[in-house]
Amino acid sequence: MSVADAEADLSDDEYAGLQLVRESGGIHQSDFWKELDVSSRKGSRIAEKLSELDLIEREDAVYDGHNTYYLEPTAADLDFSLLMAGDLLSPFIGEEEIDPNGDAFTQWLMNLAYEEY
């Protein structure tokens, strides 16, 4: 099942939960259900379903001295297109220091400018 198909089958609460995880970049389950304004039981069921559909990652965590889960978007949900200019990956990825006058940065910037027009 594709991500789009899985999302299409979500209830309103489940979709709101998915959006919360995506927008926050990651949230503890103990805060997740509070933000959604649902019971902890319903919040747990929503998180479990999203995890089963591989829409989020759900990992054991300790938060404020309590066992909980940390919910974060799956890598498939992340948009890497903002790091691309044409077929070039941003020179800021993996480099320790970037020379703003260097060829790699200039070429990436030029590709980005051409892509816009």
Side-chain angles (χ1 to χ4, degrees):
M1 178 183 293
S2 73
V3 171
D5 291 339
E7 285 185 36
D9 293 336
L10 297 177
S11 70
D12 290 342
D13 286 336
E14 292 163 346
Y15 187 75
L18 178 59
Q19 290 305 106
L20 175 60
V21 172
R22 286 178 175 166
E23 289 169 6
S24 66
I27 188 169
H28 288 96
Q29 187 169 305
S30 53
D31 291 334
F32 173 78
W33 60 269
K34 293 173 189 171
E35 290 287 325
L36 289 178
D37 195 27
V38 297
S39 69
S40 61
R41 183 176 180 177
K42 184 170 184 175
S44 180
R45 288 183 177 163
I46 291 170
E48 285 175 17
K49 180 167 183 181
L50 295 176
S51 179
E52 288 170 4
L53 293 172
D54 291 326
L55 296 173
I56 66 169
E57 298 288 328
R58 187 173 182 238
E59 298 178 13
D60 292 329
V62 176
Y63 179 60
D64 285 339
H66 300 282
N67 291 333
T68 186
Y69 293 95
Y70 188 71
L71 313 175
E72 57 188 345
T74 59
D77 292 336
L78 302 177
D79 181 11
F80 294 105
S81 67
L82 298 174
L83 300 175
M84 301 297 292
D87 61 349
L88 295 177
L89 182 64
S90 169
F92 293 100
I93 304 300
E95 295 290 328
E96 300 252 344
E97 283 193 36
I98 300 299
D99 178 7
N101 298 317
D103 290 337
F105 180 69
T106 302
Q107 187 63 43
W108 183 80
L109 204 55
M110 294 293 287
N111 279 358
L112 189 62
Y114 288 132
E115 208 173 76
E116 293 292 316
Y117 298 103

